[in-house]
Amino acid sequence: MAAEPETAQIRRRGLMLVLSSPSGAGKSTIARNLLERDKAFELSVSVTTRPRRGSEIDGAHYHFRTTREFEMLRDNDQLLEWAEVHGNFYATPREPAERAMAEGRDMLFDIDWQGAVQLREKMQGDIVSIFILPPSMRELKERLRRRAEDQDSVIAARLENARAEIEHWREYDYVVVNDDLDRAFVSVQAIVAAERLRRDRRPGLFEFVSGLLDEKL
Ligand code: ADP
Ligand code: 5GP
């Protein structure tokens, strides 16, 4: 989405967009749409110790690792944040995220509330966080079933955890209810467009405004 005419494109800092939701509410679907349509975003590919789902590709959806490999990454300070979710470890690799920020690129993080807390502490001014809610618990259950990639016991555990995850909704900058997918996606795009225009995210404005004021008519 082009937010401004080309003449007014002004240098800005990258933003770190955190999307969280109870499992099944649709954050991966929204994240995928955003990555397809907004080429400024790069996905932070997390490390996980959970088993790979049939549709997932190692290195694209996650870096699938053993618990021992995960512990080595953690102990060598190669993780920006990590958490245990549904009995498995999940973590954000440090190096790609720090490089993206240093180069002024935008990065998308599909992480849970524990990860969001840790990133907010470390990267305060760069984080924009959105919590995705399902329209109802009944629909959440249906979506977990329809996805049909987890066993029944896993689905039951995820539903159980959903309530605890939802309790954290107040910690996020924005909340979007994913009832109709198109509508929810438009809301996410609007949040991104506005956040990119924030004054404190646009150091290039100083130069632009002094050029404006120096302009001879
Ligand atoms: P999460 O990443 O939050 O666990 P997913 O993005 O995998 O959730 O979505 C769970 C399931 O619900 C998927 O099968 C997805 O296609 C479906 N889904 C996502 N958003 C909607 C929506 N607004 N209406 C109906 N189904 C949806
Ligand atoms: P799933 O197993 O469905 O892919 O993900 C389960 C949960 O783990 C989701 O809430 C997802 O956002 C979260 N998650 C995925 N990657 C990370 C990560 O790197 N860090 C943290 N803290 N949570 C993650």
Side-chain angles (χ1 to χ4, degrees), residues 21-29 139 143 146-147 178-179 181:
S21 75
S23 187
K27 81 187 151 322
S28 303
T29 307
E139 171 65 11
R143 287 185 193 170
R146 253 183 273 138
R147 188 165 65 187
N178 179 18
D179 186 350
L181 183 59

Side-chain angles (χ1 to χ4, degrees), residues 143-215:
R143 287 185 193 170
L144 282 170
R145 284 221 182 108
R146 253 183 273 138
R147 188 165 65 187
E149 292 208 62
D150 294 311
Q151 291 172 350
D152 284 354
S153 61
V154 172
I155 291 179
R158 281 170 184 252
L159 262 179
E160 194 60 36
N161 277 322
R163 290 174 198 283
E165 184 87 26
I166 290 173
E167 297 277 354
H168 292 274
W169 68 277
R170 291 182 203 80
E171 295 157 24
Y172 287 74
D173 299 322
Y174 299 92
V175 175
V176 171
V177 178
N178 179 18
D179 186 350
D180 175 76
L181 183 59
D182 289 339
R183 205 167 38 221
F185 186 61
V186 166
S187 298
V188 169
Q189 283 183 305
I191 292 164
V192 168
E195 287 288 342
R196 282 181 176 150
L197 289 171
R198 284 183 77 103
R199 179 167 39 78
D200 52 7
R201 202 163 269 132
R202 303 166 84 200
L205 275 175
F206 285 94
E207 211 178 306
F208 178 73
V209 173
S210 62
L212 271 186
L213 297 175
D214 284 347
E215 202 175 312

Side-chain angles (χ1 to χ4, degrees), residues 27 46 50 53 62 81 83 90-92 110-112 115 158:
K27 81 187 151 322
S46 297
R50 89 148 155 73
R53 293 183 185 133
Y62 280 105
E81 60 78 28
Y90 292 82
T92 301
D110 172 343
I111 60 178
D112 84 327
R158 281 170 184 252

Side-chain angles (χ1 to χ4, degrees), residues 44-62:
S44 166
V45 180
S46 297
V47 173
T48 184
T49 60
R50 89 148 155 73
R52 190 174 65 79
R53 293 183 185 133
S55 63
E56 289 175 330
I57 299 166
D58 188 18
H61 296 92
Y62 280 105

